[in-house]
Amino acid sequence: MTDAQRDKAEQLLNAQIAWIIAQLDEKEFKKLVKEEVNQFFKLAKTLKLNEVVSAEKVRVTARRYAIEMEISGAIPELIGEIADRLYNHPGHDKNSFEDLITDQEVAELLDVALEMKALRQRLISEIGGSPLTLNLISDMLYRGIQGFVSQGTNMAGNMAGNIPGASSLLKLGKSAVSRAAPGLEKSAETSIKKYIAHNTRSIIRQSEKRLESAVESGELRQGILDFWDEIKEEKVASLRRYITRDELEDVMVTGLEAWKQFRETRYFGNLLDAGVDFFFHKYGDTTLDKLVGEMGVTKKMVNDEIMHYAPDIIALLKEKGILEETLRRRLSPFWHADSTLALL
């Protein structure tokens, strides 16, 4: 190839680079983006999701990022820093709970929760029938009785103290009972606890019915709304009375660890695959323009987002010479190729 051909190729390369850079001027670029976005949406009417990508490929990608991708060791440290920023954010001191959620939204959420009758009844039944609940209430009742008896004994002692010889008589009687039946007090305690436990089951069952009745009658709903009225004007910062910055970080880190464990289970993988398969079952034969439309994406949104980010990035690439260098690197092989030079 002659030097004249190479010079001609170099001139054409420079002209092409200059032309492309001129097209990326903000005014021209805006026009270019509008044209290309319009063209994309026009082509999107002719392409279906199944033609563009398969469910299998999307499943592989979803698994790669949701399951297989390693979570960097820097993430826990980052979580700690985020927790600190969140905990100490000045917005907590300026915003009250009612600034975050309205009375109507609270009422609607409450109604949705209370309408889950089967779940509600199961929760009430499980909590009421729990051995922990039974033991807790039984212990509370026993300690209450114990305190009442102790108080009564003290009152009797105080009264006996005012009667000559009565105090000694009480002590003698208690000592005699202890010698005659050393295990009597322990046996009485056991019997009382059994009695309380037996009756506590009945009390809990009655309480379950009372709670369910309170739900059905609207008492519980009104009680919760009354509680909301009491706290809604408090600042969000009031939550700092109940949770420390370190506790917030512990919750976030523990949540991350739980997510890492959960995402590795076969169950999560199956759910992920099922979600992708359903999406393709529903939209696989849908054209791309209808699909993005159902997702709420419009031509104007695409245009606006591109123009929001691209001009600043292009200006930076121009300023640092990266844009021209990149174009020259990608286009030079074409213009310097023997097949191209032969055409000149």
Side-chain angles (χ1 to χ4, degrees):
M1 300 301 168
T2 65
D3 290 340
Q5 288 172 307
R6 292 189 178 89
D7 289 342
K8 177 74 75 173
E10 192 66 25
Q11 291 173 12
L12 289 170
L13 170 62
N14 292 335
Q16 184 179 23
I17 291 173
W19 183 84
I20 293 175
I21 292 177
Q23 291 294 302
L24 297 178
D25 174 82
E26 185 168 351
K27 183 177 180 181
E28 291 296 323
F29 181 69
K30 185 175 183 179
K31 180 180 175 183
L32 174 65
V33 168
K34 185 176 181 180
E35 291 175 354
E36 292 303 320
V37 170
N38 286 337
Q39 184 64 21
F40 167 77
F41 274 85
K42 186 180 295 184
L43 290 173
K45 294 180 179 179
T46 67
L47 299 172
K48 295 181 180 179
L49 179 61
N50 280 331
E51 296 174 332
V52 176
V53 65
S54 68
E56 176 59 28
K57 286 191 174 182
V58 174
R59 282 199 300 270
V60 170
T61 300
R63 282 179 168 270
R64 182 182 300 128
Y65 289 101
I67 299 176
E68 299 167 7
M69 186 178 75
E70 289 292 330
I71 297 179
S72 169
I75 297 298
E77 181 181 351
L78 178 62
I79 286 178
E81 294 172 354
I82 291 174
D84 184 65
R85 292 295 181 91
L86 291 177
Y87 190 81
N88 295 302
H89 197 282
H92 302 327
D93 299 298
K94 299 176 182 178
N95 293 279
S96 62
F97 293 115
E98 63 181 343
D99 292 328
L100 309 182
I101 183 170
T102 66
D103 293 349
Q104 181 179 349
E105 290 168 338
V106 170
E108 289 174 354
L109 287 171
L110 181 57
D111 288 339
V112 169
L114 293 178
E115 284 172 6
M116 299 178 183
K117 187 172 182 179
L119 177 61
R120 183 183 73 227
Q121 291 176 338
R122 178 66 183 272
L123 286 174
I124 292 174
S125 177
E126 289 295 328
I127 293 172
S130 166
L132 177 62
T133 304
L134 180 64
N135 292 335
L136 179 64
I137 294 177
S138 296
D139 187 63
M140 288 172 58
L141 290 173
Y142 176 75
R143 290 182 184 279
I145 293 172
Q146 194 176 42
F148 176 77
V149 172
S150 176
Q151 185 179 16
T153 302
N154 291 335
M155 289 176 63
N158 291 333
M159 292 176 62
N162 296 322
I163 302 174
S167 179
S168 298
L169 185 61
L170 281 174
K171 291 180 181 178
L172 179 62
K174 183 176 181 181
S175 175
V177 170
S178 298
R179 286 196 303 272
L184 183 59
E185 290 185 11
K186 185 66 177 176
S187 175
E189 177 182 333
T190 302
S191 298
I192 291 172
K193 285 187 174 180
K194 285 183 178 178
Y195 176 80
I196 290 174
H198 174 74
N199 285 275
T200 297
R201 291 188 180 91
S202 176
I203 293 171
I204 291 175
R205 283 195 293 269
Q206 293 175 15
S207 298
E208 290 175 6
K209 293 178 181 178
R210 178 69 185 89
L211 181 57
E212 187 62 33
S213 174
V215 174
E216 295 294 340
S217 67
E219 290 180 52
L220 179 63
R221 179 182 186 277
Q222 188 57 50
I224 295 174
L225 291 178
D226 290 342
F227 174 71
W228 166 249
D229 285 336
E230 291 178 8
I231 67 167
K232 66 182 182 181
E233 294 181 0
E234 292 186 18
K235 300 299 182 184
V236 179
S238 64
L239 292 175
R240 294 192 186 115
R241 297 198 299 262
Y242 310 107
I243 182 171
T244 66
R245 181 263 180 211
D246 290 339
E247 288 171 338
L248 176 61
E249 180 181 350
D250 288 342
V251 169
M252 294 175 69
V253 171
T254 302
L256 174 64
E257 291 301 319
W259 161 248
K260 288 166 65 176
Q261 294 292 328
F262 177 62
R263 73 177 190 145
E264 294 177 359
T265 62
R266 180 181 297 179
Y267 175 71
F268 175 72
N270 290 339
L271 290 180
L272 194 64
D273 290 345
V276 173
D277 289 341
F278 173 77
F279 186 83
F280 273 81
H281 176 74
K282 184 175 179 66
Y283 293 109
D285 293 325
T286 303
T287 56
L288 296 184
D289 67 315
K290 290 183 179 179
L291 177 58
V292 296
E294 290 202 19
M295 298 299 109
V297 179
T298 64
K299 285 194 286 187
K300 184 178 183 306
M301 288 174 60
V302 176
N303 268 300
D304 290 347
E305 291 305 316
I306 293 175
M307 293 306 300
H308 183 68
Y309 292 102
D312 291 339
I313 296 173
I314 292 171
L316 178 64
L317 295 177
K318 282 183 180 180
E319 180 185 342
K320 294 185 173 294
I322 297 173
L323 180 58
E324 182 177 348
E325 188 276 330
T326 301
L327 290 171
R328 190 172 297 279
R329 175 163 46 83
R330 300 311 305 169
L331 297 174
S332 290
F334 168 77
W335 289 107
H336 294 160
D338 291 340
S339 56
T340 304
L341 293 173
L343 298 173
L344 302 176

